[in-house]
Amino acid sequence: MSELIELMNLSKTYDSKFLAVNNVNLKLPKGKIIGLLGPNGSGKTTIIKMIAGVLQPTEGSILVNGNPVGVESKAKVAYLPDRTYLLGGETIDKVIKFFADFYEDFSVEKAYEMLKTLDIDPSRKIKTLSKGTKEKVQLILVMSRQADLYILDEPIAGVDPAARDFILRTIINNYNPEASVLISTHLITDVEHVLDEVIFMRYGHLVLYTAVDNIREKYGKSVDAYFREVFSC
Amino acid sequence: MAWELDSDRPIYTQLVERIQVQIISGYYPPGGKLPSVRDLAAVAAVNPNTMQKAFAELEREGLIVTQRTNGRTVTEDETLLKGIRMQMAREKVDVFVQTLKELGFSQQEILSLIQDVIEGEGKNE
Amino acid sequence: MLKKLLKHDLKSINGVGCMMLIVMAVTTLFALLSFKSPMWEAMFSDSAYGFKFGIADLIGIIGIIFYFIIVSVMSFVFLIFLGYNFYRSMYSDRGYLTHTLPVTQSRLFLSKVLSGAIWTFVINLAMMFSFLAIIVGIINVILSGAGMEWGVFWKEFSMEWSDFVEISRTEGGVSIGSFMVVLGIFFLLSPVISVVIMFGSLTLGQLAKSARAVLGVVWYLLILFLLMLISYVISFISTLSMFTSGEYSDMMMLKDYQYTYSITLVVQLIIAVVLWIVSVKILKKKINLH
């Protein structure tokens, strides 16, 4: 079984001195929901950006389903960054058309269905939406794709509990054994119950990669509790 | 409504327990059909992989049977069901008796307490 | 994919582009109408006595001033808009969407340049027609003031023009025809060149850690300044060589001008090409959105 993501000796250095990501080796399988956890500055977002292709590694390589990061991988990766990338003057309808144009795996029906569920009017202009609504729209755009890898960078931070619920349910419902979801978050408690595996990062290093059940069985703790233990010093 | 789950125990074991209860109590009757992994995972708001693991465990115990044509159904093995029912009750009673003993109750006191409670409930019905 | 990119990139410019065209049309119309003011005619006719200054004449003057201001500012403003649009799409938060599209970086850049250049060309064309209309308008006023017919004017003008072309060739060794060709090429290439220089400068600005937008603008001004310097140097050298050779005449001035112009064009082209290559390299290797 080939791995979905392979990170080999991956490093990223800023300004020739700051090692944001330090020699990370990791193989992630298909069909899993994986949490990328770690304190701020641990390199989570840097790794995500490199897999998504908005940042170049300083050393090492990345393979997504056997392809290096490029046009092929971008076509099969759905990335939700931790910021708003939608511009003001467009309507949601226009943005959906844009996505459908560039991504073959984008499902327009799914997108409109989810918008309806959340009671968001697609004819509205982006700039009229509240921050929370914009984030929901961005999530819908990502989840309407039938990608091999979904990367969600802090999808539930700063989101109300109902929306949080919706997001996690959507992730669960979207599950398919050929794809994986990589969720980067510091709100471990809220997502723990949907994760199969977790990655712990610290100071750019890979500290731990294991199944959630391993932690719970072995240590009798929640991942959140174990995480606090590991990182408290 | 998402199922309430403890965060310090593996989720799949909790799912197994919960579905066991649902089967024993007749919510899923013997021979009855079970929802698909996906559907039940969505209802419970858990990862389908985890639900799959739970189903696999239940299958291993013999509580669930996978048929080619019918999908997943509850077993019709009455003996097995009775056995598990008894086992679940026994576990609960064990814990109960243990707890009361720690509180200093004697065996006789425990038995009268049980009688009182049951009769009391009988009056209220 | 390029077609799709182009479609969406053009769409993002259409609004402002059309607005510019409309503004230009209105301004030109206004200027042309202002020619109707009797002031102009009086200026060019012999009977300037008894001319009283009225509202119509004020409008006339305003019309012309307005026109010059608008038109000289227009292409610059549009270029700034194109730069802003480019920056927003590539290096602001929107970049997270732009750079994760399943397209290569060079395609991205190409689409941005083409869409900007196409619109710039259209606006330049519109400006040219506008100038033509104004010139015709001015000539019209002069002619009616002097009481000359258009037919007569045109005949005399054509004769002067062919004389001029002839003399340029024989005395100055300058082919007006080939100069026109150079001007034509420049008209086609300058939208691409100006857009590439703008986008390339903004991309160079991304190499810094912070204040990237500001740095991009600084790069742009630096490159513009460099180009201006180069063209002055070329012009200076050419004029100097002309003086020292002792052959100074109107025709030589023309030759000098053509020379300077062509070489400046080539230099601009080279700089644009270099910037393009460097930009794509930066996009491929050094991109780091904040």
Coordinates of all heavy atoms in Angstrom, one line a residue, chain B residues 7-42:
Chain B
S7 N -12.9 10.9 27.3 CA -11.8 11.2 26.4 C -10.5 10.5 26.9 O -9.5 10.5 26.2 CB -11.5 12.7 26.5 OG -11.3 13.2 27.8
D8 N -10.6 9.7 28.0 CA -9.4 9.0 28.4 C -9.4 7.5 28.1 O -8.6 6.8 28.5 CB -9.2 9.3 29.9 CG -10.4 8.9 30.8 OD1 -11.4 8.5 30.2 OD2 -10.3 9.2 32.0
R9 N -10.5 7.1 27.5 CA -10.5 5.7 27.0 C -10.7 5.7 25.5 O -11.3 6.6 25.0 CB -11.7 5.0 27.7 CG -11.6 4.8 29.2 CD -12.6 3.8 29.6 NE -14.0 4.2 29.4 CZ -14.9 3.4 29.0 NH1 -14.7 2.1 28.8 NH2 -16.1 3.9 28.8
P10 N -10.1 4.6 24.9 CA -10.3 4.5 23.5 C -11.8 4.6 23.1 O -12.6 4.1 23.8 CB -9.8 3.1 23.1 CG -8.8 2.8 24.2 CD -9.4 3.4 25.4
I11 N -12.0 5.3 22.0 CA -13.4 5.6 21.6 C -14.1 4.3 21.2 O -15.2 4.0 21.5 CB -13.5 6.6 20.5 CG1 -13.0 8.0 21.1 CG2 -14.9 6.8 19.9 CD1 -13.0 9.1 20.1
Y12 N -13.3 3.5 20.5 CA -14.0 2.3 19.9 C -14.5 1.3 21.0 O -15.6 0.7 20.8 CB -13.1 1.5 18.9 CG -12.1 0.6 19.5 CD1 -12.4 -0.8 19.6 CD2 -10.9 1.0 20.1 CE1 -11.5 -1.7 20.1 CE2 -10.0 0.2 20.6 CZ -10.3 -1.2 20.6 OH -9.4 -2.1 21.2
T13 N -13.8 1.3 22.2 CA -14.3 0.4 23.2 C -15.6 1.0 23.7 O -16.6 0.2 24.1 CB -13.3 0.3 24.4 OG1 -12.6 1.5 24.5 CG2 -12.4 -0.9 24.2
Q14 N -15.7 2.3 23.8 CA -16.9 2.9 24.3 C -18.1 2.7 23.3 O -19.2 2.5 23.7 CB -16.7 4.4 24.5 CG -15.7 4.7 25.6 CD -15.4 6.2 25.7 OE1 -16.3 7.0 26.0 NE2 -14.1 6.6 25.5
L15 N -17.7 2.7 22.0 CA -18.8 2.5 21.0 C -19.3 1.1 21.1 O -20.5 0.8 21.1 CB -18.2 2.7 19.6 CG -17.7 4.2 19.3 CD1 -17.2 4.2 17.9 CD2 -18.9 5.1 19.4
V16 N -18.3 0.1 21.3 CA -18.7 -1.3 21.5 C -19.7 -1.4 22.7 O -20.8 -2.0 22.5 CB -17.5 -2.1 21.8 CG1 -17.9 -3.5 22.2 CG2 -16.6 -2.3 20.5
E17 N -19.4 -0.8 23.8 CA -20.2 -0.9 25.0 C -21.6 -0.4 24.7 O -22.6 -1.0 25.0 CB -19.6 0.0 26.1 CG -18.4 -0.7 26.8 CD -17.7 0.3 27.6 OE1 -18.2 1.4 27.9 OE2 -16.6 -0.1 28.1
R18 N -21.6 0.8 24.0 CA -22.9 1.5 23.7 C -23.8 0.7 22.8 O -25.0 0.5 23.0 CB -22.6 2.8 23.1 CG -23.8 3.6 22.9 CD -23.8 4.9 23.6 NE -24.9 5.7 23.2 CZ -25.0 7.0 23.4 NH1 -24.0 7.7 24.0 NH2 -26.1 7.7 23.1
I19 N -23.2 0.1 21.8 CA -24.0 -0.7 20.8 C -24.4 -2.0 21.5 O -25.5 -2.5 21.2 CB -23.1 -0.9 19.5 CG1 -22.8 0.4 18.9 CG2 -23.9 -1.8 18.6 CD1 -21.9 0.2 17.7
Q20 N -23.5 -2.5 22.3 CA -23.9 -3.7 23.1 C -25.2 -3.5 23.9 O -26.2 -4.3 23.8 CB -22.8 -4.1 24.1 CG -21.8 -5.1 23.6 CD -20.7 -5.4 24.6 OE1 -20.6 -4.7 25.6 NE2 -20.0 -6.5 24.4
V21 N -25.2 -2.4 24.6 CA -26.4 -2.0 25.3 C -27.7 -1.9 24.4 O -28.8 -2.4 24.7 CB -26.2 -0.7 26.1 CG1 -27.5 -0.1 26.6 CG2 -25.2 -0.8 27.2
Q22 N -27.4 -1.2 23.3 CA -28.6 -1.1 22.3 C -29.1 -2.4 21.8 O -30.3 -2.6 21.6 CB -28.1 -0.2 21.2 CG -28.0 1.3 21.6 CD -27.5 2.1 20.4 OE1 -26.6 1.7 19.6 NE2 -28.0 3.4 20.3
I23 N -28.2 -3.3 21.7 CA -28.6 -4.7 21.2 C -29.3 -5.4 22.3 O -30.4 -6.0 22.1 CB -27.3 -5.5 20.7 CG1 -26.8 -4.9 19.4 CG2 -27.7 -6.9 20.5 CD1 -25.5 -5.5 18.9
I24 N -28.7 -5.4 23.5 CA -29.2 -6.2 24.6 C -30.6 -5.6 24.9 O -31.6 -6.4 25.2 CB -28.3 -6.1 25.8 CG1 -27.0 -6.8 25.5 CG2 -29.0 -6.8 27.0 CD1 -27.1 -8.2 25.1
S25 N -30.8 -4.3 24.9 CA -32.0 -3.7 25.3 C -33.1 -3.9 24.3 O -34.3 -3.5 24.5 CB -31.8 -2.3 25.7 OG -31.5 -1.6 24.5
G26 N -32.7 -4.4 23.1 CA -33.7 -4.6 22.1 C -33.8 -3.5 21.1 O -34.7 -3.6 20.2
Y27 N -33.1 -2.4 21.3 CA -33.2 -1.3 20.3 C -32.8 -1.8 18.9 O -33.4 -1.4 17.9 CB -32.2 -0.2 20.8 CG -32.2 1.0 19.9 CD1 -33.3 1.9 19.9 CD2 -31.2 1.3 19.0 CE1 -33.4 3.1 19.2 CE2 -31.2 2.5 18.2 CZ -32.3 3.3 18.3 OH -32.4 4.4 17.5
Y28 N -31.8 -2.7 18.9 CA -31.5 -3.4 17.7 C -31.9 -4.9 18.0 O -31.1 -5.6 18.6 CB -30.1 -3.3 17.3 CG -29.6 -1.9 16.9 CD1 -28.6 -1.3 17.6 CD2 -30.2 -1.2 15.8 CE1 -28.2 0.0 17.2 CE2 -29.8 0.0 15.5 CZ -28.8 0.6 16.2 OH -28.4 1.9 15.9
P29 N -33.0 -5.3 17.5 CA -33.5 -6.7 17.9 C -32.7 -7.8 17.3 O -32.0 -7.5 16.3 CB -35.0 -6.7 17.4 CG -35.0 -5.7 16.3 CD -34.0 -4.6 16.7
P30 N -32.8 -9.0 17.8 CA -32.1 -10.1 17.2 C -32.5 -10.3 15.8 O -33.7 -10.3 15.5 CB -32.5 -11.3 18.1 CG -33.0 -10.7 19.3 CD -33.5 -9.4 19.0
G31 N -31.5 -10.5 14.9 CA -31.8 -10.6 13.5 C -32.0 -9.3 12.8 O -32.2 -9.2 11.6
G32 N -32.1 -8.2 13.6 CA -32.4 -6.9 13.0 C -31.2 -6.3 12.3 O -30.1 -6.6 12.6
K33 N -31.5 -5.4 11.3 CA -30.4 -4.8 10.6 C -29.8 -3.7 11.3 O -30.5 -2.9 12.0 CB -31.0 -4.3 9.2 CG -30.0 -4.2 8.2 CD -30.6 -4.3 6.8 CE -29.6 -4.3 5.7 NZ -28.9 -3.0 5.5
L34 N -28.5 -3.5 11.1 CA -27.8 -2.4 11.8 C -27.5 -1.3 10.7 O -27.4 -1.7 9.5 CB -26.5 -2.9 12.3 CG -26.5 -3.6 13.7 CD1 -25.3 -4.5 13.8 CD2 -26.7 -2.6 14.8
P35 N -27.4 -0.1 11.2 CA -27.0 1.0 10.2 C -25.6 0.7 9.6 O -24.9 0.0 10.3 CB -27.1 2.3 11.0 CG -27.6 1.9 12.3 CD -27.6 0.5 12.5
S36 N -25.3 1.3 8.5 CA -24.0 1.2 8.0 C -23.0 1.9 8.9 O -23.4 2.7 9.7 CB -23.9 1.8 6.6 OG -24.0 3.2 6.7
V37 N -21.7 1.6 8.7 CA -20.7 2.2 9.5 C -20.7 3.7 9.3 O -20.7 4.5 10.3 CB -19.3 1.7 9.0 CG1 -18.2 2.5 9.7 CG2 -19.1 0.2 9.4
R38 N -20.8 4.2 8.1 CA -20.9 5.6 7.8 C -22.0 6.3 8.5 O -21.9 7.3 9.1 CB -21.0 5.8 6.3 CG -19.8 5.6 5.5 CD -20.0 6.1 4.1 NE -19.9 7.6 4.1 CZ -18.8 8.2 3.6 NH1 -17.8 7.5 3.2 NH2 -18.7 9.5 3.6
D39 N -23.2 5.7 8.4 CA -24.4 6.3 8.9 C -24.3 6.4 10.4 O -24.6 7.5 11.0 CB -25.7 5.5 8.5 CG -26.0 5.7 7.1 OD1 -25.5 6.7 6.5 OD2 -26.7 4.9 6.5
L40 N -23.9 5.3 11.1 CA -23.8 5.3 12.5 C -22.7 6.3 13.0 O -22.9 7.0 14.0 CB -23.6 3.9 13.0 CG -24.0 3.7 14.5 CD1 -25.4 4.2 14.8 CD2 -23.9 2.3 14.9
A41 N -21.6 6.3 12.3 CA -20.5 7.2 12.6 C -21.0 8.7 12.5 O -20.7 9.5 13.4 CB -19.3 7.0 11.7
A42 N -21.8 8.9 11.5 CA -22.3 10.3 11.4 C -23.2 10.7 12.5 O -23.2 11.7 13.1 CB -23.1 10.4 10.1

